[in-house]
């Protein structure tokens, strides 16, 4: 497998932006996933290859730092590459630049290779012996542990919609930070944007389930515990550092 970096341009559309004209969190996550999926396909480790072998890539962590969100009609360049090999998976990094070449967003994601039928992790090297990485990090992170919320400042519930489900038959990774950002005070959300997002995925969530988000807010930092109400299982933890909205 010849490894390198994927570089792709995106022009932001109006429906990908929020009321402030900046890229929505869910759209950002989808762009990262699109770039990752495209590169994995080129490298021969994409979803079709995995499904043929009864395997699947499952996201376990994201760490995203946002200098600023791009605006409506802005062109951005997304660069992504496999950055680190793990025993049971791999790390993929991202760098997003604006039209002037300024770095506006960096991100790192951690993925586990699983046996799709048994739902158990498998050794990367055993199933993809030719897997290679570019030894460079966009964001130096080891995906630190996210503490559970110590108190319940806000509680919100969301029903998993059909459109929240991806090809793996469970909630798409982009939806979890959307739920978290929707689980702060309305006035706060209208006047602030995430500056840093850390996500730890715990268990899958499925169509029709109700997900309860318990949030703890301390100044410009929020902690979110996402739990399925039917059996109480924790599906994700998210930590967000916020900043005030930036003028367009």
């Amino acid at each position: 497998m010849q490894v390198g970096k994927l570089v792709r341009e995106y022009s932001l559309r109006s429906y990908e932006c929020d009321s402030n004209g900046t890229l929505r969190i869910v759209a950002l996550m989808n762009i990262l996933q699109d770039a990752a999926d495209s590169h994995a396909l080129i490298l021969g480790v994409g979803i079709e290859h995995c499904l043929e072998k009864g395997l699947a890539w499952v996201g376990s962590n994201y760490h995203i730092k946002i200098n600023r969100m791009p605006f409506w009609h802005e062109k951005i360049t997304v660069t992504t590459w496999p950055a680190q090999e793990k025993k049971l998976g791999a790390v993929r990094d991202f760098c997003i630049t604006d039209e002037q070449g300024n770095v506006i967003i960096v991100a790192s994601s951690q993925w586990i290779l699983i046996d799709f039928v048994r739902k158990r992790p498998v050794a990367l090297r055993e199933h993809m012996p030719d897997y290679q990485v570019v030894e460079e990090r966009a964001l130096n992170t080891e995906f630190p542990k996210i503490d559970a919320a110590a108190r319940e400042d806000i509680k919100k519930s969301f029903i998993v919609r059909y459109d929240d489900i991806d090809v793996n038959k469970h909630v798409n990774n982009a939806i979890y930070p959307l739920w978290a950002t929707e689980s702060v005070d309305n006035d706060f959300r209208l006047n602030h944007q995430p500056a840093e997002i850390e996500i730890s995925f715990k268990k899958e969530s499925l169509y029709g389930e109700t997900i309860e988000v318990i949030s703890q807010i301390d100044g410009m930092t929020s902690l979110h515990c996402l739990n399925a109400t039917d059996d109480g299982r924790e599906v994700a933890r998210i930590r967000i550092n916020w900043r005030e909205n930036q003028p367009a």
Side-chain angles (χ1 to χ4, degrees):
M1 179 185 70
Q2 184 64 41
V3 69
K5 295 182 179 181
L6 175 78
V7 180
R8 176 167 289 183
E9 287 190 350
Y10 292 85
S11 294
L12 304 190
R13 301 171 177 86
S14 59
Y15 57 80
E16 295 175 311
C17 299
D18 60 20
S19 60
N20 296 304
T22 55
L23 186 66
R24 299 175 189 271
I25 293 297
V26 68
L28 170 62
M29 295 293 294
N30 284 332
I31 286 172
L32 297 180
Q33 289 185 78
D34 178 64
D37 289 343
S38 297
H39 199 204
L41 180 63
I42 292 169
L43 296 176
V45 294
I47 186 169
E48 292 86 355
H49 171 82
C50 288
L51 288 176
E52 287 176 2
K53 296 181 176 295
L55 304 172
W57 289 106
V58 174
S60 62
N61 299 88
Y62 268 91
H63 192 167
I64 304 167
K65 287 192 175 182
I66 303 166
N67 296 326
R68 72 169 181 88
M69 275 293 204
F71 296 103
W72 181 18
H73 291 322
E74 193 171 354
K75 285 185 179 180
I76 59 174
T77 299
V78 180
T79 304
T80 183
W81 62 96
Q84 194 174 38
E85 178 185 335
K86 300 281 189 176
K87 182 179 180 181
L88 299 178
V91 171
R92 172 171 286 276
D93 280 9
F94 306 85
C95 180
I96 300 180
T97 56
D98 62 17
E99 293 178 71
Q100 289 71 46
N102 300 309
V103 175
I104 58 175
I105 300 170
V106 291
S108 190
S109 58
Q110 187 163 229
W111 299 82
I112 296 173
L113 191 64
I114 68 165
D115 181 308
F116 192 77
V117 175
R118 297 173 61 233
K119 303 291 185 183
R120 294 190 178 279
V122 295
L124 174 67
R125 191 54 60 180
E126 288 181 13
H127 294 270
M128 296 182 180
D130 298 326
Y131 194 87
Q132 297 180 36
V133 301
V134 176
E135 294 185 359
E136 178 183 337
R137 299 301 302 274
L139 176 59
N140 286 318
T141 180
E142 293 301 325
F143 308 100
K145 179 183 176 181
I146 301 173
D147 293 331
R151 61 179 189 273
E152 182 183 303
D153 293 335
I154 300 174
K155 180 166 68 175
K156 265 193 174 182
S157 294
F158 300 87
I159 296 176
V160 177
R161 308 168 305 169
Y162 177 83
D163 283 347
D164 296 331
I165 303 300
D166 62 18
V167 295
N168 289 325
K169 311 301 182 187
H170 54 65
V171 171
N172 186 270
N173 291 345
I175 303 301
Y176 295 97
L178 171 65
W179 287 335
T181 56
E182 288 287 327
S183 299
V184 296
D185 178 79
N186 290 342
D187 288 338
F188 183 89
R189 184 65 185 93
L190 288 170
N191 292 291
H192 295 80
Q193 288 280 344
E196 184 175 12
I197 304 173
E198 297 169 80
I199 310 169
S200 176
F201 301 104
K202 302 291 188 179
K203 299 286 185 181
E204 63 185 14
S205 46
L206 307 171
Y207 175 56
E209 289 188 316
T210 297
I211 304 299
E212 186 176 74
V213 183
I214 305 298
S215 300
Q216 174 184 326
I217 317 296
D218 292 298
M220 300 292 273
T221 299
S222 59
L223 287 175
H224 309 271
C225 293
L226 287 67
N227 305 298
T229 59
D230 60 344
D231 60 5
R233 74 186 183 282
E234 187 176 36
V235 299
R237 287 186 192 177
I238 298 175
R239 176 167 49 220
I240 304 175
N241 291 323
W242 300 81
R243 68 162 64 93
E244 292 185 0
N245 284 342
Q246 305 156 71

